[in-house]
């Protein structure tokens, strides 16, 4: 996982926009921990919008 939360958010939003229909689909494909991603980005002030399929 990318350590810098802003870079992580940017990377994930690009992946979600271009390749994945949801964060769950991304995490399953990349074998990433959804909870760890959400916590890391929440600590930086970002939340996942499921309807928009992006972090804000």
């Amino acid at each position: 996982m990318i350590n810098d939360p802003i870079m992580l958010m940017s990377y994930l939003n690009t992946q979600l926009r271009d390749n994945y229909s949801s964060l769950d689909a991304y995490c399953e494909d990349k074998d990433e921990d959804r909870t760890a991603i959400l916590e890391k980005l929440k600590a930086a002030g970002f939340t996942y919008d499921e309807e928009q399929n992006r972090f804000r």
Side-chain angles (χ1 to χ4, degrees), residues 32-47:
E32 291 281 357
D33 182 343
R34 184 182 197 273
T35 302
I37 290 171
L38 292 173
E39 288 176 0
K40 182 174 203 132
L41 291 179
K42 182 178 181 181
F46 300 110
T47 58

Side-chain angles (χ1 to χ4, degrees), residues 1 8 12 23-24 26-28 30-40 55:
M1 182 180 347
L8 177 60
L12 286 171
L23 181 59
D24 289 330
Y26 169 83
C27 289
E28 183 176 322
K30 299 291 187 179
D31 196 30
E32 291 281 357
D33 182 343
R34 184 182 197 273
T35 302
I37 290 171
L38 292 173
E39 288 176 0
K40 182 174 203 132
F55 284 91

Side-chain angles (χ1 to χ4, degrees), residues 9-33:
M9 186 268 307
S10 178
Y11 168 77
L12 286 171
N13 279 344
T14 300
Q15 291 296 305
L16 294 170
R17 181 190 69 221
D18 295 345
N19 302 311
Y20 297 97
S21 61
S22 69
L23 181 59
D24 289 330
Y26 169 83
C27 289
E28 183 176 322
D29 186 52
K30 299 291 187 179
D31 196 30
E32 291 281 357
D33 182 343

